């Protein structure tokens, strides 16, 4: 179980010292930051984000919302990739499914937005459940490949099934493309989202809620079982964890969330074509975000999404070289820092803390004999 | 019926590319357990190099020999510089890292040769009339070359000292090392051999396709499909048969349904197949780790 502890949570290596008083004692618990502290961080992030987009230019807003969309997808994907350790590449399928249901719901069938959202969530859950019965019979490389196949089929279908998806020409929330018209608002029942600021705020709220929800789940039995399956599924099974069921549940949760993000994305973009759902963009990029940021951490996917989605903007002047740089950085990250940005940062912090602790320990052992060890 | 035969013949030509790419991938994966998602980029590199060498005035077949050597060398360098490091990290690192490597190679090719598709002319013309179907003689030559090359690899793996060492490495790396085999060298050589095969496929197929930086993606995917469908217990002849079969199914789907259906048919088939037989077609005997 020590391996579980050592890689499971952000900074569990920092020993929890019950005797420690003061601010740092109240802010930290066995899982890293304590829940009230996390709520505080969430509230601050939300407030800052909410207020600061008020005067943002439309290009900045576009950029920020793009990052939020990918952060939502990467965070959802991280459930199955990072916490359960299954290399799922099927996010493209559920993202496309949600986006098409959302856009068709509003544009063609004139459903309210919340109904499209419910249909997309339900549809994703059912399909993920059905797929989950099949795909978890395979493992490792075979699993990666079968989920790749799922994403590729979705991409090809969005071209081929042109009577519904509009084919390569795409489809918009204003109905068929050839009729033109402006995109319709995302009607959530209580509020109708229309302005770019509102979309960003909605996405930010969803992201904060998602991360908080995950924080809670990870502290409970389900989250602990996920990590046990990731570390050693034979060992997990031997202590009574239903491994297949845990994998399926994580996969359904992850895929359903991605389907929901698809609905949000479809409304925000207002217009989608199959090009939004290529294997590289909709299946591989989210995985890259999770891995670059740090898989199995809460902050990692968000950092990864910021890096990968923000990349083209930062390196706009390099136009022709920007994808090359993206590939090169990803490759270098895999070779040098396989645990991602968060892993790097943690190693750095632990290096510092280790040196400080070594100094403190020498002082403590001379003062009183009994020293609490991890 | 004529359409069926014609499409099957086209499928066999396409299958030539898949078979060679899949064989190389199979060797690398069996011997070193590296799922190299950048393998198809060696195919693309082969085609681009063939184009460049022919532009430089080299005759087709001389150019092809240079391409085989060059791509093999690139493979050896990649194994030493990239995969050796990635492998010590984790399987996920190899997977994501090799996909990243694929992006890097694609972008480098695009910077070097531009975005527009390129074409290479075949070294000889002429058509062969085989009753209901007509096939260009270069395409027949491709099929023949693929079979010859496959037989050559079979001989290399099963009838030479290198092959025996390779099979030992595939079976059990530690034991192979204990018997005094230089597994590091054999690994690099195998990676070079697999890459050279893909490069050879690229050069060979260059006159039949349009050459563009993303041309390696499809062969990589199909090669992995073949690998997975064949299963861990499969041998090389199964890989060859399966490569041709997948290509024929793909071209038939393109001919009878629509061009966009080819990918759907292949991957829907894969999902259904793995649902029924998650271990692949040929199951591994529990006593053997890997068969070559």
């Amino acid at each position: 179980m020590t391996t579980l502890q050592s890689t499971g949570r952000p900074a569990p290596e920092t020993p929890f010292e019950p005797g420690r008083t003061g601010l740092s004692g109240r802010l930290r618990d066995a899982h890293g930051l304590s829940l009230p502290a996390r709520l505080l961080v969430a509230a601050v992030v939300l407030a800052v984000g909410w207020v600061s987009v008020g005067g943002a230019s439309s290009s900045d807003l576009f950029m920020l919302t793009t990052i939020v969309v990918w952060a939502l997808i990467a965070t959802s994907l991280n459930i199955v990739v990072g916490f359960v350790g299954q290399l799922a590449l099927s996010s493209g399928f559920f993202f496309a499914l949600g986006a098409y249901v959302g856009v068709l719901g509003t544009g063609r069938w004139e459903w309210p937005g919340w109904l499209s959202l419910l249909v997309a969530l339900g549809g994703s859950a059912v399909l993920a459940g059905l797929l989950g019965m099949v795909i978890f019979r395979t493992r490792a490389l075979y699993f990666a490949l079968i989920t790749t196949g799922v994403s590729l089929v979705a991409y090809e279908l969005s071209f081929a099934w042109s009577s519904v998806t509009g084919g390569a020409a795409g489809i918009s929330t204003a109905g068929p493309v050839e009729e033109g018209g402006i995109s319709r608002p995302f009607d959530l029942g209580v509020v109708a989202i229309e302005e770019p600021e509102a979309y960003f705020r909605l996405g930010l709220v969803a992201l904060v809620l998602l991360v908080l929800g995950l924080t809670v789940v990870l502290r409970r039995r389900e989250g602990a079982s996920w990590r046990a399956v990731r570390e050693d599924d034979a060992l997990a099974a031997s202590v009574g964890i239903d491994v297949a069921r845990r994998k399926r549940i994580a996969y359904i949760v992850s895929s359903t969330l991605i389907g929901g993000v698809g609905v949000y994305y479809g409304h925000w973009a207002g217009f989608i074509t199959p090009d939004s759902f290529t294997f590289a963009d909709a299946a591989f990029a989210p995985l890259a975000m999770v891995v670059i940021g740090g898989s199995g951490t809460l902050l990692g996917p968000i950092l990864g999404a910021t890096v990968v989605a923000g990349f083209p903007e930062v390196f706009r002047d390099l136009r022709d070289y920007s994808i090359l740089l993206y590939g090169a950085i990803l490759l270098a990250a895999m070779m040098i820092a396989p645990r991602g940005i968060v892993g790097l940062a943690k190693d750095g912090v632990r290096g510092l803390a280790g040196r400080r602790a070594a100094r403190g320990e020498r002082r403590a052992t001379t003062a009183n004999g009994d020293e609490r060890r991890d | 019926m004529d359409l069926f035969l014609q499409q099957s013949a086209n499928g066999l030509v396409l299958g030539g590319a898949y078979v060679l790419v899949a064989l190389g991938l199979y060797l690398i994966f069996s011997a070193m357990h590296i799922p190299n998602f950048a393998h198809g980029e060696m195919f693309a590199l082969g085609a681009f190099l063939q184009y460049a060498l022919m532009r430089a005035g080299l005759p087709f077949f001389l150019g092809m020999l240079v391409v085989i050597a060059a791509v093999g060398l690139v493979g050896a360098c990649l194994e030493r510089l990239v995969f050796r490091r990635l492998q010590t990290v984790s399987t996920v690192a190899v997977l994501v890292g090799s996909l990243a490597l694929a992006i890097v190679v694609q972008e480098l090719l695009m910077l070097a040769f531009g975005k527009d598709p390129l074409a290479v002319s075949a070294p000889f013309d002429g058509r062969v009339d085989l009753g209901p179907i007509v096939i260009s003689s270069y395409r027949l030559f491709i099929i023949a070359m693929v079979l010859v090359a496959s037989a050559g690899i079979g001989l290399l793996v099963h009838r030479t000292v290198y092959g025996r060492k390779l099979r030992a490495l595939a079976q059990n790396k530690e034991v192979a090392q204990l018997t005094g085999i230089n597994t590091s060298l054999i690994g690099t050589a195998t990676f070079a051999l697999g890459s050279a095969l893909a490069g050879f496929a690229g050069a060979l197929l260059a006159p039949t396709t349009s050459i563009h930086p993303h041309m390696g993606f499809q062969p990589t995917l199909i090669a992995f499909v073949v690998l997975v469908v064949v299963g861990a217990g499969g041998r090389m002849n199964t890989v060859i048969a399966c490569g041709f079969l997948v290509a024929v199914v793909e071209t038939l789907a393109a001919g009878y349904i629509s061009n966009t259906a080819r990918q759907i048919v292949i991957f829907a088939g894969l999902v259904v197949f793995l649902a029924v037989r998650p271990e692949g077609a040929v199951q591994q005997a529990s006593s053997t780790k890997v068969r070559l």
Side-chain angles (χ1 to χ4, degrees):
Chain A
M1 291 308 269
T2 45
T3 50
L4 225 181
Q5 275 291 314
S6 66
T7 50
R9 295 286 317 132
E13 293 85 356
T14 331
F16 168 47
E17 296 170 30
R20 201 203 277 176
T21 51
L23 191 62
S24 62
R26 254 174 287 141
L27 285 180
R28 306 193 70 82
D29 63 12
H31 294 274
L33 273 184
S34 66
L35 269 185
R38 280 171 192 244
L39 277 173
L40 190 70
V41 172
V44 170
V45 168
L46 199 55
V48 169
W50 191 283
V51 173
S52 62
V53 294
S57 69
S58 64
S59 68
D60 285 349
L61 209 50
F62 178 80
M63 180 76 207
L64 286 170
T65 315
T66 308
I67 290 175
V68 166
V69 167
W70 291 109
L72 279 166
I73 298 214
T75 304
S76 310
L77 184 68
N78 189 32
I79 296 173
V80 75
V81 173
F83 295 122
V84 193
Q86 304 297 308
L87 204 60
L89 281 159
S90 53
S91 57
F93 173 78
F94 294 100
F95 186 48
L97 179 76
Y100 275 109
V101 167
V103 169
L104 285 169
T106 300
R108 182 170 298 178
W109 304 316
E110 313 219 328
W111 292 347
W114 56 267
L115 183 61
S116 315
L117 188 61
L118 280 183
V119 170
L121 290 175
S124 303
V126 169
L127 282 172
L130 288 175
L131 273 174
M133 291 199 282
V134 172
I135 59 177
F136 286 110
R137 298 183 61 186
T138 59
R139 295 164 64 103
L141 175 68
Y142 292 60
F143 182 79
L145 204 74
I146 200 169
T147 48
T148 299
V150 169
S151 278
L152 282 172
V153 168
Y155 172 66
E156 298 289 337
L157 262 182
S158 62
F159 269 111
W161 199 5
S162 53
S163 60
V164 171
T165 64
I171 196 157
S172 83
T173 49
V177 177
E178 46 282 7
E179 288 172 22
I182 44 165
S183 55
R184 292 193 193 145
F186 188 22
D187 177 14
L188 283 172
V190 267
V191 280
I193 309 291
E194 196 166 11
E195 298 299 312
E197 287 94 353
Y199 272 109
F200 173 76
R201 285 172 179 157
L202 175 67
L204 192 65
V205 169
L207 183 61
V208 166
L209 288 179
L210 177 59
V211 172
L212 282 179
L214 269 178
T215 304
V216 173
V217 171
L218 287 173
R219 283 159 191 249
R220 307 185 80 89
R221 201 191 184 90
E222 184 73 36
S225 315
W226 288 351
R227 275 172 281 143
V229 172
R230 176 188 65 188
E231 295 303 327
D232 188 336
D233 51 3
L235 188 62
S238 76
V239 296
I241 294 171
D242 187 345
V243 173
R245 196 178 153 81
R246 295 280 85 77
K247 285 182 183 173
R248 265 208 306 277
I249 286 179
Y251 183 71
I252 293 173
V253 170
S254 164
S255 305
T256 308
L257 288 169
I258 293 172
V261 180
V263 178
Y264 164 71
Y265 170 80
H267 280 90
W268 170 62
F271 169 70
I272 50 172
T273 62
D275 279 340
S276 314
F277 310 106
T278 57
F279 177 74
D281 287 346
F284 178 59
L287 180 69
M289 290 168 193
V290 170
V291 172
I292 287 181
S295 74
T297 65
L298 287 173
L299 192 59
I302 299 172
L303 286 178
T306 311
V307 171
V308 174
F311 204 88
E313 189 64 19
V314 177
F315 292 92
R316 205 172 4 178
D317 300 338
L318 295 170
R319 231 171 289 123
D320 289 351
Y321 296 90
S322 88
I323 304 177
L324 176 65
L325 258 170
Y326 162 58
I329 288 178
L330 184 56
L331 180 59
M334 285 292 87
M335 291 171 72
I336 301 160
R339 286 170 58 232
I341 300 171
V342 172
L344 264 186
K346 256 193 260 173
D347 288 346
V349 169
R350 199 173 316 127
L352 283 176
R355 239 172 290 152
R356 205 177 304 154
R359 244 180 291 142
E361 201 167 274
R362 249 176 281 135
R363 233 176 295 141
T365 37
T366 46
N368 57 345
D370 63 340
E371 172 75 10
R372 188 187 174 277
R373 295 265 164 78
D374 189 24
Chain B
M1 196 60 200
D2 285 2
L3 176 66
F4 179 80
L5 287 175
Q6 188 69 52
Q7 287 292 349
S8 303
N10 291 340
L12 287 179
V13 177
L14 180 68
Y18 292 169
V19 164
L20 291 180
V21 173
L23 260 185
L25 192 73
Y26 172 75
L27 286 177
I28 293 171
F29 186 68
S30 316
M32 303 155 79
H33 310 287
I34 294 177
N36 178 13
F37 270 89
H39 191 66
E41 269 49 52
M42 300 299 111
F43 173 74
L45 188 63
F48 273 102
L49 279 180
Q50 181 73 27
Y51 169 83
L53 289 172
M54 283 181 73
R55 281 285 300 263
L58 251 65
F60 189 89
F61 290 105
L62 186 60
M64 192 185 265
L65 288 177
V66 177
V67 167
I68 294 171
V71 178
L73 190 66
V74 169
C77 294
L78 286 178
E79 198 273 333
R80 287 273 158 154
L81 298 175
V82 178
F83 286 96
R84 195 153 285 201
R85 166 87 197 166
L86 284 176
Q87 230 188 344
T88 60
V89 181
S90 66
T91 314
V92 177
V94 178
L95 235 154
V96 177
S98 62
L99 276 164
L101 181 67
I103 295 175
V104 170
V105 175
Q106 284 169 10
E107 289 301 308
L108 285 176
L109 285 175
M110 194 163 332
L111 286 174
F113 293 95
K115 279 179 186 144
D116 301 327
L118 307 170
V120 165
S121 55
F124 49 85
D125 300 325
R127 290 171 173 280
V128 182
D129 204 341
L130 296 171
I133 53 169
V134 179
I135 187 166
S136 78
S137 42
Y138 184 70
R139 284 170 180 257
L140 267 187
F141 173 74
I142 289 179
I143 298 176
M145 283 300 281
V146 169
L147 292 175
V148 168
S150 310
I153 295 297
L155 284 177
L156 191 64
V157 170
H158 289 284
R159 293 281 183 277
T160 63
V161 179
Y162 158 75
R164 199 184 305 158
K165 288 178 178 173
L166 171 63
R167 281 178 287 145
L169 171 63
Q171 284 274 344
N172 191 324
K173 190 177 175 186
E174 283 73 28
V175 174
Q177 252 165 351
L178 283 177
T179 57
I181 294 170
N182 185 347
T183 51
S184 160
L185 186 66
I186 297 289
T188 309
T190 308
F191 211 101
L193 176 66
S195 304
L197 266 177
F200 171 55
L204 190 66
L205 271 283
T208 65
T209 60
S210 74
I211 303 170
H212 57 91
H214 298 290
M215 67 190 290
F217 185 62
Q218 180 72 5
T220 312
L221 275 176
I222 298 294
F224 272 105
V225 168
V226 168
L227 215 64
V228 163
V229 165
V230 165
R235 303 182 69 147
M236 281 196 293
N237 46 17
T238 340
V239 173
I240 296 164
C242 187
F244 279 122
L245 181 72
V246 169
V248 170
V249 168
E250 192 186 310
T251 37
L252 285 179
Y256 279 96
I257 308 171
S258 81
N259 208 25
T260 47
R262 53 204 308 169
Q263 201 85 305
I264 298 174
V265 167
I266 292 290
F267 281 95
L270 175 73
V271 172
V272 172
F273 177 83
L274 282 182
V276 181
R277 278 193 84 101
E279 300 276 306
V282 189
Q283 282 185 358
Q284 197 171 11
S286 56
S287 58
T288 50
K289 237 174 139 185
V290 176
R291 286 168 79 180
L292 260 178

